[in-house]
Amino acid sequence: MINFFNNKYYKIFLFRYVCNTIMENNTINILVIFGATGDLANRKIYPALNEISKSDKLPENFKIIGCGRKELKENIFSKLQSNLASNCDYIKLDPMIEDDYKLLSKKLNDYKNISITLNVIFYLSTPPRAYKPIIDNLIKNKLNIEESGYRRIIIEKPFGKNLESARKLNNILTSGFKENQIFRIDHYLGKETVQNILVSRFTNLIFNALWSKDFISYIEITAAESIGIKGRGEYYDNSGAVRDMFQNHLLELLCLVSMEEPNQNSSESIRNEKIKVLNNIRKINFKDDMIRGQYMASETKSKKFKSYTENEGVNKNSKTETFFACKLFIDNERWKDIPFFIRTGKRLPTKVTEIVVNFKKNINVFSPNNETNMLIFRLQPDEGMLVKFNLKSPSYKSGIINKNLEFHYKNLGEDVIDDAYETLILDVFQGNTMLFSRSDFVEKAWEIVDPIINEIDKNNIKLYGYKAGTWGPTKCNDLFRNENTWRYPCKNLVNDGEICEL
Ligand code: BG6
């Protein structure tokens, strides 16, 4: 028996039907993913597209063209929901080979011929060495030209490996795309809890009125990870914590917690204020205000960790830092001489990202020990906010106890927090650049980081060892040079202390 659905006439009928439907709606939206067989596409992009589709927020007539160097042996789109998977095409395309782009060009032209508006997003989810050839070839083939709908380009981190390479990349990008067509991903900006920082700061008078050197004594930013480098040895060994986390995620967080109120709730206004913060960062004192560390092997009763240098792809004599901490100052009216302590590291006791705002001592007749307040933005996990405040101890006439006012996002319901990639991809569909890094931010951030990297390369900044599973080199506490110290956060928001559940 003839299978009707495989029948040639049925296929022609189906193609015409699809084309007619599209013609009626006039618009086709295409996401071209370079690196479609890669790890990022699998772990982040496809799951995010599924979620966007579930919430019915995909643009109409949405299609995916995956590009990759490999000949396909299996269905790489099997992770996608069936409604998406049935709208996918794959093109075998080597980013370095100019001729391969003709196939992509042809495919896009075919769609152009059956639509009035053709919107195309190019997602560069490849290793960074492929960025330049891809952008060059898109421009050569005029695939950047917005003649019948928008053309947008998403580019993943790392954006360059120093100021010079970031500038070059920006120049190549801007030779073919305008700034509002370019979406440089820093996935931290897509996190719900990160977006909340500005809203909570500026909409709560009880915070906003106290947000300055007059009431705040110091601010800590911690991005701790318990994992090691998980099969990314080669990349990480050429990068290290300064390039991998500090140049991007941590400087973005610093800007959000310290910037002035923007004139408008708009992409440009917010990005303008962030740049002002970066411009005002005082040159960091390499000798006293910076700590680098690398994790060493360690063993507890239940766990055994190998050292960083035992990882595949890592040089056995590597001096790359897996931990970085520094103290920095922002030289402006609001923050004059208030220290910001920043730390990040792999193989620390737990995975936590948080910002801790430590208020000044409040000297008064009721408070013999000058108890202080603390406000914590817990970005992940156990996302929420915590205020530590004082009250009279009911058991003693004049005693004071410090208690918690806490909010957990999970109390708002299950799944209230979208994955960062879901938010970011949706924003690209909508052309909203607010949660992406502007070219000047990326370059300014490298301008801050370049001198640090130069000092590291000249062996001028010591590298301390720390046991895997601990809070980094003990030297790290010396950054404070007074009685203060880091908060040692636990997995759950309210607990802290050097000994936590792991
Ligand atoms: C990436 C870094 O940008 O951020 C990784 O390259 C790091 O090394 C990751 O593990 C951390 O992201 P998150 O969202 O897990 O905090």
Side-chain angles (χ1 to χ4, degrees):
M1 201 177 86
I2 300 170
N3 180 345
F4 177 71
F5 295 102
N6 272 334
N7 181 300
K8 184 172 119 196
Y9 297 105
Y10 172 71
K11 282 188 175 164
I12 294 173
F13 161 78
L14 193 65
F15 183 71
R16 288 209 175 126
Y17 174 77
V18 171
C19 291
N20 284 339
T21 321
I22 288 168
M23 285 303 276
E24 274 166 28
N25 293 321
N26 295 333
T27 303
I28 303 182
N29 292 288
I30 298 190
L31 177 66
V32 180
I33 305 175
F34 293 96
T37 56
D39 178 58
L40 183 76
N42 271 303
R43 269 188 315 110
K44 296 291 182 187
I45 306 176
Y46 299 149
L49 288 170
N50 283 340
E51 290 306 313
I52 296 174
S53 165
K54 270 189 222 156
S55 58
D56 238 3
K57 290 184 183 143
L58 275 183
E60 59 180 353
N61 295 322
F62 180 69
K63 313 212 168 286
I64 297 171
I65 301 178
C67 299
R69 283 183 312 158
K70 295 182 193 153
E71 200 73 69
L72 282 196
K73 295 209 175 78
E74 56 192 33
N75 178 10
I76 57 158
F77 301 117
S78 60
K79 273 208 169 162
L80 286 169
Q81 283 179 185
S82 55
N83 64 319
L84 287 168
S86 58
N87 274 311
C88 289
D89 267 324
Y90 181 78
I91 298 180
K92 184 176 166 303
L93 180 153
D94 183 332
M96 312 290 172
I97 301 178
E98 215 179 306
D99 258 7
D100 281 8
Y101 290 79
K102 294 207 173 96
L103 297 172
L104 176 63
S105 237
K106 178 172 177 324
K107 187 113 215 144
L108 290 175
N109 272 330
D110 288 349
Y111 280 121
K112 210 174 354 181
N113 292 336
I114 57 162
S115 65
I116 293 179
T117 306
L118 179 72
N119 294 325
V120 187
I121 296 169
F122 301 103
Y123 197 137
L124 275 53
S125 122
T126 59
R129 64 176 177 281
Y131 293 167
K132 182 181 177 319
I134 296 177
I135 301 164
D136 278 344
N137 282 306
L138 291 179
I139 298 173
K140 265 188 208 151
N141 286 280
K142 299 197 170 40
L143 297 177
N144 57 325
I145 307 287
E146 292 188 308
E147 54 184 23
S148 67
Y150 66 67
R151 300 291 180 271
R152 294 178 184 152
I153 184 160
I154 307 178
I155 186 156
E156 276 288 340
K157 160 186 170 277
F159 196 91
K161 69 181 311 250
N162 52 27
L163 178 60
E164 195 193 342
S165 53
R167 271 199 186 133
K168 276 191 188 148
L169 192 51
N170 268 336
N171 288 342
I172 301 164
L173 268 172
T174 49
S175 68
F177 294 87
K178 293 191 287 292
E179 187 63 38
N180 66 0
Q181 291 175 271
I182 305 170
F183 296 77
R184 297 175 194 79
I185 289 205
D186 179 319
H187 77 282
Y188 265 51
L189 297 183
K191 291 180 192 276
E192 177 62 39
T193 47
V194 172
Q195 293 170 61
N196 171 58
I197 298 172
L198 290 185
V199 177
S200 276
R201 264 189 64 190
F202 290 111
T203 60
N204 293 299
L205 190 62
I206 52 169
F207 302 149
N208 196 20
L210 303 180
W211 217 258
S212 74
K213 62 178 188 303
D214 299 332
F215 303 101
I216 290 173
S217 139
Y218 63 102
I219 292 183
E220 300 163 57
I221 304 179
T222 293
E225 292 184 272
S226 49
I227 55 165
I229 49 160
K230 269 201 165 165
R232 297 162 78 216
E234 208 183 311
Y235 154 75
Y236 198 88
D237 209 34
N238 284 304
S239 174
V242 175
R243 284 188 171 100
D244 187 50
M245 294 290 289
F246 178 72
Q247 187 272 342
N248 37 77
H249 309 323
L250 292 172
L251 286 179
E252 285 281 5
L253 294 182
L254 173 74
C255 288
L256 292 172
V257 80
S258 64
M259 63 184 249
E260 298 298 314
E261 187 171 346
N263 291 337
Q264 286 168 5
N265 181 6
S266 75
S267 183
E268 289 318 289
S269 251
I270 293 176
R271 289 160 144 203
N272 290 344
E273 290 308 327
K274 286 200 216 165
I275 275 291
K276 288 184 198 160
V277 173
L278 294 189
N279 283 332
N280 282 323
I281 292 180
R282 191 188 298 170
K283 191 168 178 293
I284 311 176
N285 177 337
F286 301 118
K287 212 169 134 278
D288 301 322
D289 292 344
M290 228 174 249
I291 305 284
R292 295 170 67 234
Q294 188 187 85
Y295 67 82
M296 303 176 306
S298 75
E299 195 169 350
T300 62
K301 265 189 195 152
S302 55
K303 281 185 185 158
K304 200 172 171 182
F305 300 114
K306 52 183 183 182
S307 69
Y308 168 69
T309 50
E310 283 170 90
N311 280 284
E312 208 186 307
V314 172
N315 184 326
K316 295 289 158 262
N317 301 314
S318 172
K319 293 282 177 280
T320 299
E321 75 284 343
T322 58
F323 178 95
F324 176 72
C326 68
K327 171 159 88 174
L328 55 80
F329 296 90
I330 300 169
D331 280 334
N332 63 14
E333 194 44 39
R334 187 186 288 268
W335 297 114
K336 192 167 184 317
D337 294 336
I338 298 300
F340 288 78
F341 296 92
I342 300 182
R343 71 180 160 171
T344 182
K346 303 274 185 201
R347 281 271 182 257
L348 302 189
T350 188
K351 170 147 180 104
V352 167
T353 311
E354 66 174 26
I355 300 177
V356 183
V357 181
N358 294 278
F359 289 87
K360 288 201 160 158
K361 285 179 178 166
N362 177 24
I363 299 168
N364 61 74
V365 291
F366 301 106
S367 163
N369 299 319
N370 301 321
E371 284 80 2
T372 59
N373 297 116
M374 204 186 242
L375 163 67
I376 296 164
F377 290 100
R378 172 55 78 92
L379 308 178
Q380 60 187 12
D382 193 5
E383 292 83 356
M385 286 172 72
L386 175 68
V387 174
K388 288 193 174 270
F389 73 107
N390 305 310
L391 77 158
K392 178 184 163 300
S393 161
S395 326
Y396 303 96
K397 257 203 165 138
S398 59
I400 287 186
I401 43 175
N402 196 260
K403 285 286 161 198
N404 296 327
L405 274 174
E406 57 196 276
F407 158 72
H408 304 260
Y409 278 83
K410 60 181 178 240
N411 294 345
L412 295 179
E414 261 178 42
D415 294 335
V416 285
I417 297 193
D418 288 341
D419 179 73
Y421 272 82
E422 208 180 314
T423 307
L424 294 173
I425 294 174
L426 206 51
D427 274 1
V428 183
F429 290 147
Q430 288 157 2
N432 184 359
T433 52
M434 188 175 314
L435 303 180
F436 296 83
S437 307
R438 201 167 64 184
S439 62
D440 53 349
F441 184 98
V442 179
E443 290 186 15
K444 189 69 213 177
W446 279 119
E447 238 176 278
I448 293 165
V449 162
D450 262 14
I452 303 177
I453 293 169
N454 289 341
E455 293 299 310
I456 293 175
D457 289 347
K458 285 192 251 158
N459 280 332
N460 286 346
I461 308 179
K462 282 190 190 149
L463 181 73
Y464 295 94
Y466 63 97
K467 278 192 177 167
T470 66
W471 277 104
T474 42
K475 250 321 216 185
C476 192
N477 284 327
D478 294 358
L479 291 178
F480 285 85
R481 291 195 281 281
N482 59 20
E483 75 281 9
N484 297 328
T485 183
W486 299 93
R487 173 173 133 103
Y488 291 101
C490 300
K491 223 190 256 171
N492 55 340
L493 170 58
V494 293
N495 292 346
D496 58 62
E498 272 187 76
I499 300 171
C500 264
E501 85 289 13
L502 297 183

